[in-house]
């Protein structure tokens, strides 16, 4: 199956040597080797070693003919898979290296497309480059292994050509050139990469290439830079979605120098400012005037900005020093992430989760970068996987579906979580008649491999919706329960969402009884595993679907059954009430962690009908002004002394109760129903042990990430009333305690005043 070109071209190099196309007479080529000084002679010898029909077509710049000749040669040679069961006329014993090289060349042609290559090759210098490129297995492998291979456009080969021309045919750093080609070229689903539309005088990949080459030669880049593969270098050379100019890299290198592990704080090298010094809003086109001729980095350091500018500033500062980084969008906020070694992305300005502005397997962090790091973790295994994938695609082109299926399975044996290899395998399985029982058996065997990657597991099943829909409800419930167990065991984040999955599952079931079983299984899975974030999302979905539509009984029945199942006990008398209280408490905390105001409200309402909250605070002494409506209360931690059923009451004059665990800096946050002018707040301690909470700070926020202090005290009274600065706008208000040693925090009231 063709059609997933941005993924089809991904290829990691390995210790195993793959011969260049037709390079049998020259022996093998080392992976990622630098271009030799006698490159023209090597290219000429390689071209002479090509299969005659391929060489003739290449010399003419006819890539339709090149493709035809490659397929003909493969059909004649056969593959190991074909010898194991295929009947191809004219097959004979062959060297696997030759098959690998032919399949790889075919992949390059198909990713770029014969038509695009034909047009590009009309220029004599371009054709000269293409001959050198197709004679260089090392460069082809690097290009195919970069992640998002430019698909059906000439951006990729054009960038490589520009670097090749700049270096007079002897490219010294092919992974770096390929990373730039990938970032500028995009992939199949990223056709209009914004960086392509920017002014080439300010955004020039060759200039960027020379910058990194120069800095590497000086030995001033991050020490790990030299070890980065091309797919990793994508996160160093550009931010395809929102890139900054070349001058910003130069400026940031000179002016933002920190210890390697501190670039997550580089954003604060520039001031958080809105409006500008001249009174212009950051949303206006005049914010950077009169300094518009400066680089983005220098203008930001001079004028400041809000989260978007500062996150880009920190990202470019890290990248300019050879450290992989990306900017990331969050609701109402922009953050970033940096990476000093494989698999360990750390946040800057509230990152790394959210919508990545540079990515390979989708843009939703952390699931996307976790999946990427897992897939590419083992260089040797991923290399084997790609060799098998190239053969699988060639076999599909030759009409050998069964052999292609076996080749895809070999690829997935080496890289089980590669989402796009699975996608193509699934397409072939469905095309060749996969039935519901076969599908169930396949998925029950496959899902355990996705432990820790539940979102990827859900995504990989989308291509099998047909066979899944044909299953009976009992089979579906068996499958769905396994899926939710897999998702529940996935590291949680606010950016990981599971509502769509359970909603889709419910829609595929035929009866209310089956949907009740699904809800019970889902509650039990998320109640038993994880930190509660995903549990909160399932609760939010269930509240919207059942409670808010008048089906409280179904919700409560499923919740009670799941609670008993998770607790491993029956459902009688006082013990049942105790366990229900505990279950609802855990559910409310999960809703808070998921930042779901709807689930928080509905669960609290449902809980107090079943279980009485544990709170009876005395009346307030202070005359209250107009109160803002709090819709969500959350804390840094909970504890065995806490009663989440009473959390909502904390935001009301009647009061409630909350109790953190022992912490050095415990905090509580009230979220309001909307961003508004706030004039102050009142916080009251729970009677008893008030002396635990002395040093405290009140802060406000409009975006949930950037906080501004309003008042501090070293001796917080039992009932503390704070007036805010005039005109303060906020949607969140926080109290944070600063203890000399870890201590509890507990309050009965947290009220916000408004106009």
């Amino acid at each position: 199956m063709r059609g997933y070109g941005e993924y089809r071209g991904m290829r990691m190099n390995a210790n195993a040597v793959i011969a260049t196309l037709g390079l049998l007479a020259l022996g093998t080529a080392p992976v990622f080797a630098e271009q030799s000084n006698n490159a023209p002679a090597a290219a000429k010898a390689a071209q002479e070693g090509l299969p005659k029909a391929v060489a003739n077509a290449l010399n003419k710049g006819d890539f339709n003919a090149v493709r035809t000749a490659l397929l003909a040669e493969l059909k004649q040679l056969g593959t190991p898979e074909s010898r194991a069961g295929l009947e191809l006329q004219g097959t004979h014993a062959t060297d696997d290296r030759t098959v690998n090289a032919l399949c790889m060349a075919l992949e390059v042609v198909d990713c770029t497309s014969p038509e695009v290559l034909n047009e590009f090759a009309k220029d004599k210098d371009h054709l000269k480059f293409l001959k050198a490129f197709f004679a260089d297995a090392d460069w082809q492998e690097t290009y195919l292994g970069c992640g998002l291979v430019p698909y059906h456009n000439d951006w990729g080969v054009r960038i490589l050509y520009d670097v090749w021309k700049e270096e007079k045919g002897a490219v010294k750093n092919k992974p770096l050139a390929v990373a730039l080609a990938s970032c500028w070229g995009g992939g199949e689903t990223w056709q209009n990469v914004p960086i392509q539309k920017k002014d080439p005088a300010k955004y020039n990949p060759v200039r960027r290439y020379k910058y990194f080459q120069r800095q590497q030669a000086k030995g001033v880049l991050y020490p790990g830079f030299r070890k980065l593969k091309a797919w990793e270098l994508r996160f160093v050379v550009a931010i395809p979605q929102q890139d900054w100019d070349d001058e910003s890299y130069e400026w940031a290198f000179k002016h933002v120098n920190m210890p390697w592990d501190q670039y997550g704080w580089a954003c604060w090298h520039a001031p958080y400012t809105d409006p500008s010094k001249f009174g212009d809003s950051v949303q206006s086109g005049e914010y950077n005037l009169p300094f518009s001729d400066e680089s983005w980095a220098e203008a930001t350091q001079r004028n400041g900005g809000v989260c978007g500018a500062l996150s880009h500033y920190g990202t470019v500062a890290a990248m300019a020093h050879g450290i992989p980084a990306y900017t990331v969008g969050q609701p109402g906020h922009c953050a970033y992430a940096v990476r000093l070694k494989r698999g360990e992305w750390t946040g800057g300005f509230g990152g790394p989760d959210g919508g990545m502005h540079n990515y390979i397997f989708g843009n939703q962090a952390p699931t996307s970068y976790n999946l990427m790091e897992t897939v590419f973790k083992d260089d040797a295994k991923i290399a084997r996987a790609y060799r098998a994938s190239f053969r699988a695609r060639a076999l599909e082109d030759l009409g050998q579906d069964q052999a292609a299926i076996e080749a895809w399975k070999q690829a997935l044996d080496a890289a089980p979580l590669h989402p796009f290899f699975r996608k193509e395998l699934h397409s072939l399985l469905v095309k060749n008649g996969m039935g519901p029982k076969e599908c169930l058996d396949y998925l029950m065997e496959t899902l355990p491999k996705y432990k820790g990657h539940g979102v990827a597991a859900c995504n990989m099943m989308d291509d099998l919706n047909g066979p899944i829909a044909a299953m009976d409800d009992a089979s579906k419930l068996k499958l769905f329960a396994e899926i939710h167990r897999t998702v529940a065991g996935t590291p949680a984040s606010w950016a990981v969402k599971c509502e769509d999955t359970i909603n889709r599952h419910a829609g595929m079931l035929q009866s209310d009884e089956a949907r009740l079983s699904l809800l019970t299984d889902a509650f039990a899975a998320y109640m038993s595993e994880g930190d509660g974030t995903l549990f909160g999302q399932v609760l939010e979905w269930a509240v919207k679907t059942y409670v808010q539509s008048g089906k409280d009984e179904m919700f409560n029945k499923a919740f009670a059954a799941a609670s008993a199942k998770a607790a491993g006990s029956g459902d009688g008398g006082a013990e049942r009430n105790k366990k229900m209280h505990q279950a609802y408490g855990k559910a409310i905390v999960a809703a808070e962690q998921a930042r779901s105001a709807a689930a928080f409200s509905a669960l609290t309402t449902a809980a107090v009908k079943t279980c009485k909250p544990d709170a009876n605070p005395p009346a307030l002494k202070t005359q209250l002004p107009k109160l803002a409506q709090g819709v969500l209360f959350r804390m840094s931690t909970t504890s065995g002394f806490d009663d989440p059923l009473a959390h909502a009451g904390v935001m009301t004059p009647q009061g409630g109760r909350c109790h953190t665990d022992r912490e050095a800096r415990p905090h509580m946050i009230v979220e309001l129903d909307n961003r508004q002018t706030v004039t102050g707040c009142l916080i009251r301690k729970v009677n008893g042990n008030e002396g635990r909470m002395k040093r405290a700070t009140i802060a406000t926020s409009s975006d949930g990430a950037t906080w501004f202090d309003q008042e501090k005290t070293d001796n917080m009274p039992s009932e503390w009333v704070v007036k805010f600065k005039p005109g303060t706008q906020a949607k969140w208000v926080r109290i944070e305690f600063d203890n000399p040693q870890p201590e509890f925090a507990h309050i009965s009231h947290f009220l916000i005043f408004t106009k």
Side-chain angles (χ1 to χ4, degrees), residues 525-671:
Y526 295 105
M527 192 181 295
S528 300
E529 291 195 57
D531 65 359
T533 303
L534 296 177
F535 183 32
Q537 292 181 18
V538 174
L539 287 162
E540 181 176 23
W541 173 84
V543 166
K544 292 176 181 176
T545 304
Y546 297 104
V547 176
Q548 294 180 355
S549 62
K551 298 179 180 178
D552 304 55
E553 183 179 349
M554 189 170 179
F555 173 89
N556 288 327
K557 187 175 181 180
F559 192 86
S563 301
K565 184 176 181 180
S569 64
D571 60 350
E575 184 63 20
R576 174 188 180 279
N577 291 335
K578 178 181 178 181
K579 290 188 179 300
M580 286 298 294
H581 194 123
Q582 292 172 345
Y584 270 115
K586 183 173 182 179
I588 290 169
V589 171
E592 294 169 3
Q593 292 174 338
R595 304 186 187 187
S596 170
F600 174 81
S601 174
L603 281 165
T604 300
T605 302
V608 297
K609 291 179 181 178
T610 307
C611 319
K612 186 178 179 181
D614 228 357
N616 188 25
L620 289 168
K621 302 175 183 178
T622 304
Q623 185 70 29
L624 298 176
K626 183 179 178 181
L627 297 179
Q629 182 180 351
V631 295
L632 180 64
F633 178 86
R634 54 190 168 94
M635 305 187 299
S636 50
T637 57
T638 184
S639 71
F641 304 105
D642 189 26
D643 182 19
L645 277 67
H647 285 182
V650 173
M651 302 184 291
T652 70
Q654 291 72 36
R657 189 167 70 85
C658 68
H659 201 298
T660 72
D661 203 352
R662 279 194 171 94
E663 294 184 74
R665 302 182 71 89
H667 70 257
M668 295 90 165
I669 297 174
V670 170
E671 179 178 339

Side-chain angles (χ1 to χ4, degrees), residues 63 228 298 305 320 349 367 390 433 476 498 520 583 609 735 747 752:
F63 283 87
L228 297 177
E298 184 175 2
F349 212 174
T367 59
F390 298 150
K476 288 176 185 174
C498 63
T520 301
K609 291 179 181 178
I735 181 169
I747 62 175
I752 315 302

